[in-house]
Amino acid sequence: MTAGTGMPGTPDPRDVPEGTVVLGASDVARALTRIAHEIVERAKGAQDVVLLGIPTRGVTLAARLAQRLASIDPAFDPERDLGELDVTMYRDDLRRQPTRAVGVTRLPAAGIEGKTLVLVDDVLFSGRTIRAALDAIGDLGRPQAVRLACLVDRGHRELPIRPDFVGKNLPTAQSERVRVLLAEVDGTDAVVISGREPGAVVPGEGGER
């Protein structure tokens, strides 16, 4: 149940920043369950799947996906097949923001060699974070395949990168801001758009894609 409300999936306005809520807690849960099923289906089982979350909220989403994968296919072990990937030192804007704090990269004990590696992030925008992630992976091993799962794809790509698994395609204007809120970090689950003109229609609102 979402904090501050009496109904699941309906965030209390006091719990979210100003803007339009386009996904509530129940929408986020359904999207993650669907993504988990799609990962297993595409990999023909989860025995060689490894999830790597990209900080910050990608790590939380990866942990949730790991639990769902384990419930679908016991061959997936969240303790063994889940990690996180910090891409700070591989970003192409590092020279402009040299004071970025370096995070933690934590790989499964068996590594990523020969695995189906699924990168997990919250919002896909320009694609530059994922490019940095791919560069980082190149220094860590040679997986059999690399896939990308994200909760929201908001468009405006600057690089030829697209997700393999997506919770919601959300067309936006460049000036708008998309925030993913997660209960573990923010106290509630929601996807919020701010900076949208009053009365503007959210394309596809009410669905997951």
Side-chain angles (χ1 to χ4, degrees):
M1 182 174 293
T2 305
T5 73
M7 296 179 61
T10 308
D12 189 315
R14 295 169 298 180
D15 296 335
V16 299
E18 183 178 354
T20 303
V21 176
V22 294
L23 292 180
S26 58
D27 302 311
V28 171
R30 283 195 300 269
L32 291 176
T33 297
R34 175 169 49 77
I35 288 172
H37 280 279
E38 290 175 355
I39 289 172
V40 173
E41 181 179 356
R42 182 159 180 177
K44 296 180 173 57
Q47 62 274 10
D48 292 319
V49 172
V50 167
L51 300 182
L52 287 185
I54 298 175
T56 55
R57 286 164 179 77
V59 174
T60 302
L61 290 171
R64 292 194 192 181
L65 279 174
Q67 295 300 322
R68 284 167 167 81
L69 286 176
S71 69
I72 297 167
D73 187 342
F76 185 90
D77 182 353
E79 296 295 324
R80 182 192 64 209
D81 302 320
L82 174 64
E84 57 187 282
L85 179 67
D86 178 68
V87 302
T88 304
M89 299 307 297
Y90 294 86
R91 295 186 63 95
D92 59 9
D93 61 354
L94 190 61
R95 286 175 294 177
R96 284 185 256 169
Q97 302 183 54
T99 57
R100 285 180 181 270
V102 177
V104 173
T105 289
R106 181 177 58 83
L107 297 182
I112 61 175
E113 203 76 23
K115 303 291 187 178
T116 296
L117 176 59
V118 181
L119 294 171
V120 183
D121 206 0
D122 56 351
V123 179
L124 180 59
F125 186 24
S126 68
R128 293 185 178 276
T129 296
I130 304 306
R131 182 209 60 80
L134 293 173
D135 287 348
I137 289 168
D139 286 344
L140 296 172
R142 186 183 175 90
Q144 181 181 26
V146 180
R147 312 290 185 210
L148 172 61
C150 64
L151 184 60
V152 175
D153 182 355
R154 62 166 296 186
H156 303 290
R157 209 79 72 246
E158 297 173 4
L159 297 171
I161 290 172
R162 61 180 295 179
D164 299 277
F165 315 104
V166 60
K168 184 175 181 67
N169 289 301
L170 185 61
T172 60
Q174 282 273 10
S175 59
E176 293 169 339
R177 184 183 182 193
V178 176
R179 286 196 61 190
V180 171
L181 307 178
L182 299 175
E184 296 90 334
V185 182
D186 309 292
T188 191
D189 283 353
V191 176
V192 182
I193 295 181
S194 56
R196 175 154 285 176
E197 291 296 325
V201 175
V202 179
E205 188 170 4
E208 291 184 353
R209 283 186 179 271

